[in-house]
Amino acid sequence: MKVIVTESYDESCAVVARMIGDLVREKPCCKLGLATGGTPVPIYQKLIAMNQAGEVDFSQVHTVNLDEYCGIPATHDQSYRYFMDTNLFDHINIDKANTYVAAGMGDYEANACALEEKVREGGVADLQLLGIGNNGHIAFNEAGDHLVATAHIEHLTESTIEANARFFASRDDVPTMAITMGMGDILAAKKVVLIATGPAKADAIRGLVTDDVITTHNPSTLLKVHPDAVVVIDRALADAAGYKA
């Protein structure tokens, strides 16, 4: 596992955006695994700028998103389909038919099966982008006594619901279940890039980058076994996590 320490979160986002841009230029028909939440937004803004400047062409790219809330439609302003459209897809020359975000309505189990098929369709992701939860969760794979390998329904922990409440009108509006790729799906990607910032992530990042322990109580630690995993953090977070580059 490679750890990159930058001087700022903006620099971290620029590093990751360049990784994605370089991949798309090298392999125009590549498959990207994408993430939502506040962390990747500046990355997507940089990719939009690169695309609009004619530096990166997304016309042949395929994407699959990590997860989606259960119980809200794609048109809801907190659905991850809505997030991806408004924060990236609407602003670049990607064919939305080549983008996939799991359906959050209807038969949840069938929707999870459909996500699992998309993870493998045409081959695994060339690059999987990840954020990290305060407790080390990856996508909606929550910390606990066990983890699930394939796409599945996850009941969200109180800490995850609390963390996501800022995006909703009230805490009571936050969905309590989500469809998510499993850890096996994530680890199957050819390259995994995790980006993190902020003191709230210090404990999770400490477990990921400062020792050799792998535990389901910090799902991110499974990235230690991936042959091409990159963790990008800023200096402030590295210091808070006790990581010495």
Side-chain angles (χ1 to χ4, degrees):
M1 185 176 67
K2 180 179 181 181
V3 181
I4 298 174
V5 179
T6 68
E7 293 307 313
S8 69
Y9 180 53
D10 184 68
E11 184 184 346
S12 293
C13 291
V15 166
V16 175
R18 283 196 298 272
M19 287 182 191
I20 296 171
D22 289 347
L23 171 61
V24 175
R25 282 188 286 266
E26 179 182 335
K27 185 179 180 180
C29 60
C30 67
K31 183 176 181 180
L32 301 175
L34 298 180
T36 55
T39 299
V41 170
I43 298 170
Y44 296 154
Q45 291 171 342
K46 294 178 188 301
L47 291 174
I48 290 167
M50 293 161 68
N51 177 244
Q52 294 182 349
E55 299 170 4
V56 183
D57 177 11
F58 290 94
S59 62
Q60 299 179 61
V61 170
H62 288 70
T63 70
V64 180
N65 263 74
L66 285 166
D67 43 28
E68 178 60 287
Y69 286 122
C70 292
I72 59 176
T75 53
H76 191 288
D77 65 5
Q78 292 304 320
S79 80
Y80 288 163
R81 164 53 73 179
Y82 184 94
F83 175 99
M84 292 306 306
D85 286 346
T86 57
N87 285 286
L88 184 62
F89 298 151
D90 286 347
H91 310 288
I92 60 175
N93 68 328
I94 198 165
D95 182 350
K96 285 191 184 179
N98 293 336
T99 69
Y100 187 82
V101 182
M105 301 295 288
D107 185 332
Y108 300 154
E109 293 294 343
N111 295 348
C113 289
L115 173 58
E116 182 66 22
E117 290 178 5
K118 284 293 182 179
V119 169
R120 310 291 169 170
E121 185 178 271
V124 297
D126 293 286
L127 185 152
Q128 176 65 61
L129 177 63
L130 298 173
I132 186 171
N134 295 352
N135 63 356
H137 76 253
I138 299 294
F140 278 120
N141 293 283
E142 295 283 13
D145 292 333
H146 71 277
L147 294 168
V148 180
T150 57
H152 61 283
I153 310 303
E154 189 83 15
H155 291 269
L156 308 186
T157 64
E158 289 299 315
S159 64
T160 296
I161 292 170
E162 192 68 37
N164 291 341
R166 68 189 189 277
F167 300 117
F168 290 82
S170 75
R171 189 183 186 284
D172 292 340
D173 294 329
V174 183
T176 59
M177 295 190 300
I179 297 167
T180 183
M181 287 187 198
M183 288 305 298
D185 296 327
I186 292 166
L187 293 172
K190 297 174 185 176
K191 185 183 191 74
V192 176
V193 180
L194 184 148
I195 181 171
T197 190
K201 307 294 177 68
D203 287 346
I205 291 296
R206 184 179 300 110
L208 175 58
V209 303
T210 63
D211 58 45
D212 293 329
V213 174
I214 297 172
T215 172
T216 59
H217 291 278
N218 181 345
S220 74
T221 60
L222 271 73
L223 299 184
K224 297 175 193 286
V225 304
H226 195 281
D228 189 7
V230 181
V231 177
V232 185
I233 53 178
D234 51 69
R235 179 70 58 188
L237 178 55
D239 289 347
Y243 177 74
K244 306 299 182 185

